[in-house]
Amino acid sequence: MSENTADEKIDLRGVLCPINFVKTKLKLEMMESGQVLEVTLDDGEPMRSVPRSIKEEGHKVIKVEQIDDGYKIFVKKADS
Amino acid sequence: MSENTDAGKIDLNELKSGGFIKQNQKDLFTVRLRVPGGRLDIDKMIKIGEVAKKYSRMGYCHLSFRQSVEIIGVHIDDFNTLVKELAEFGQSIASCGPRVRVPTACGGCEYNPNGIMDAQKKALEVDKEHFGTPCHHKFKISFSGCPIDCARTQGMDLGFQGIVDPHWEEDPCTGCTLCEKACLEGAIVAAEDGKPIFYREKCVYCGDCIKACPTDAWTAKRKGWAVRAGGKHGRHPRTADEIMLFLPDDKVSDFIGKTLAWYNKNGKRGERIGTTFDRVGLEGYKEKVARPFITD
């Protein structure tokens, strides 16, 4: 699947809210529309907040993958 | 000083119903301003500051528990000029005593991401229509935009809290399970294929699932207000009773009017509406006032 091959990756395990979202946002700002960012997050508060904030910014979470100690979410950058 | 000529000019009715509160200090009063929902235009705030500086003989204001600005230490001789100067920029005085108080509200949905309903707008509207209505005791109304309930609707004579009814469609759902993660109530559990099983009885109608869903498989079926009545703080606190769910936004004022009419008819002087519920039973109120507003 193409969404498994992210254009960029960011590991935010151990990073607290809302810094994890801010870092995601900054990373996305440096990318092109339509590119995919793989974000690794801790379970709990980060998984509750970050995907929602990404949606509020207009980007799209296209896939969620559970890993041993958290989750990987794949975010497609919105058209600007 | 036995004679007080200026005090003679005070409209005694205004003093009784208005927000002039006697202080320990002789002839000094706290003047409570009318600030519905606690929202203050910045220019107005500056002007209030100027007036307060001129008339407070104690040099400070107090932010009341119901979101108003109170000017502390105003001399009774200064009432008339103070009221006039405040009125020049549209600032009026709040109320005390047995009547509908200035409604309080959270920030609401205008700028707060958790907000479901526009608590600020409603507080303004209700303040215009119901502020000062006489009843058996004080009557406090508040508005919370979402179930976090910052405006503490459970402690109000009448409280309104924003809610949203989530609706799920299978087609757009990708089984990503983000809604399960978003739901703090355990009302959504992901099945084997990741798709949600919804336990409505656990839902508090916060809409977190809708906000989290990346494909809009969860949408808002309807929004409205959860209504609570009979709450109070004070020496004998009482938690409000749950009256109904999903009162439409445009029915709030009517609901308040009918509640006040019921309270004025069934309550006793000096009795909060919660005490009336305890004395005559809640069912009559629910049947008479709430039921006509329930649509399903």
Side-chain angles (χ1 to χ4, degrees), chain B:
Chain B
M1 196 165 62
S2 56
E3 286 288 306
N4 194 325
T5 47
D6 276 332
K9 290 179 195 162
I10 305 283
D11 179 347
L12 275 176
N13 283 327
E14 184 174 30
L15 194 59
K16 257 201 238 161
S17 65
F20 299 89
I21 305 148
K22 196 185 166 313
Q23 291 188 190
N24 286 332
Q25 294 79 9
K26 184 176 161 14
D27 289 337
L28 295 191
F29 287 74
T30 291
V31 179
R32 182 183 289 163
L33 306 185
R34 183 173 167 190
V35 187
R39 182 175 291 187
L40 266 181
D41 173 271
I42 291 164
D43 287 331
K44 213 175 192 185
M45 206 162 142
I46 291 166
K47 284 177 184 160
I48 290 170
E50 286 164 358
V51 171
K53 191 168 176 144
K54 196 164 156 190
Y55 292 105
S56 167
R57 298 200 182 186
M58 294 171 73
Y60 50 85
C61 287
H62 175 248
L63 301 179
S64 83
F65 273 92
R66 285 188 65 79
Q67 304 183 303
S68 95
V69 176
E70 295 175 334
I71 305 174
I72 309 299
V74 177
H75 196 278
I76 191 164
D77 289 349
D78 293 331
F79 281 4
N80 281 332
T81 41
L82 170 84
V83 169
K84 217 180 107 209
E85 282 180 36
L86 289 169
E88 274 166 20
F89 55 89
Q91 179 60 55
S92 53
I93 309 293
S95 70
C96 311
R99 51 188 57 80
V100 176
R101 305 297 181 83
V102 181
T104 53
C106 71
C109 66
E110 187 186 352
Y111 54 88
N112 187 314
N114 290 313
I116 295 165
M117 299 296 282
D118 197 338
Q120 283 290 321
K121 189 176 145 207
K122 216 26 71 173
L124 266 183
E125 190 185 304
V126 165
D127 178 65
K128 271 199 194 91
E129 288 172 33
H130 299 284
F131 169 75
T133 305
C135 38
H136 296 296
H137 203 310
K138 60 179 79 165
F139 197 89
K140 296 179 177 177
I141 298 171
S142 83
F143 295 90
S144 283
C146 78
I148 297 169
D149 196 20
C150 294
R152 292 155 173 76
T153 57
Q154 301 202 341
M156 298 296 142
D157 294 284
L158 198 48
F160 298 89
Q161 178 219 279
I163 45 175
V164 55
D165 201 356
H167 172 73
W168 180 74
E169 290 281 346
E170 176 145 27
D171 252 13
C173 181
T174 59
C176 75
T177 74
L178 281 178
C179 55
E180 182 194 37
K181 294 274 160 227
C183 181
L184 289 168
E185 309 303 322
I188 295 172
V189 177
E192 199 82 334
D193 59 357
K195 299 206 170 180
I197 303 167
F198 181 46
Y199 296 94
R200 177 169 283 274
E201 69 280 4
K202 288 188 180 174
C203 182
V204 299
Y205 307 110
C206 65
D208 282 354
C209 50
I210 300 167
K211 285 166 188 153
C213 181
T215 59
D216 294 329
W218 284 105
T219 52
K221 190 173 145 201
R222 55 179 173 164
K223 290 179 180 182
W225 300 95
V227 183
R228 308 193 163 104
K232 60 180 181 126
H233 303 125
R235 296 185 191 208
H236 304 284
R238 185 183 188 279
T239 303
D241 292 289
E242 304 287 334
I243 306 302
M244 67 170 289
L245 296 174
F246 296 105
L247 177 71
D249 197 44
D250 60 357
K251 302 281 188 221
V252 168
S253 188
D254 191 19
F255 195 99
I256 294 170
K258 293 204 161 88
T259 296
L260 288 169
W262 183 92
Y263 174 40
N264 277 337
K265 190 172 169 216
N266 295 278
K268 281 183 180 171
R269 198 179 147 80
E271 173 181 87
R272 296 283 287 269
I273 194 170
T275 312
T276 312
F277 291 159
D278 291 339
R279 189 170 52 77
V280 308
L282 181 65
E283 287 315 306
Y285 168 74
K286 276 188 166 173
E287 188 59 33
K288 181 105 179 144
V289 176
R291 184 141 178 177
F293 289 95
I294 298 170
T295 48
D296 60 82

Side-chain angles (χ1 to χ4, degrees), chain A:
Chain A
M1 279 207 303
S2 62
E3 56 254 41
N4 279 344
T5 51
D7 298 288
E8 296 280 350
K9 289 181 185 184
I10 185 167
D11 187 346
L12 296 171
R13 280 173 292 186
V15 181
L16 297 178
C17 300
I19 305 300
N20 45 18
F21 168 65
V22 175
K23 288 195 167 178
T24 304
K25 186 177 150 78
L26 292 175
K27 189 86 184 173
L28 281 164
E29 272 169 20
M30 293 186 301
M31 293 167 61
E32 302 291 326
S33 298
Q35 281 191 312
V36 174
L37 172 65
E38 178 194 302
V39 188
T40 309
L41 293 167
D42 291 314
D43 198 2
E45 182 66 20
M47 272 302 281
R48 275 201 299 277
S49 303
V50 176
R52 172 177 156 178
S53 302
I54 286 168
K55 184 185 175 186
E56 280 160 11
E57 294 279 314
H59 309 297
K60 189 156 187 175
V61 176
I62 51 172
K63 193 167 183 285
V64 178
E65 246 179 49
Q66 190 161 15
I67 53 170
D68 282 347
D69 55 344
Y71 284 85
K72 281 181 178 175
I73 62 171
F74 295 81
V75 183
K76 192 173 180 185
K77 184 175 172 169
D79 298 334
S80 44

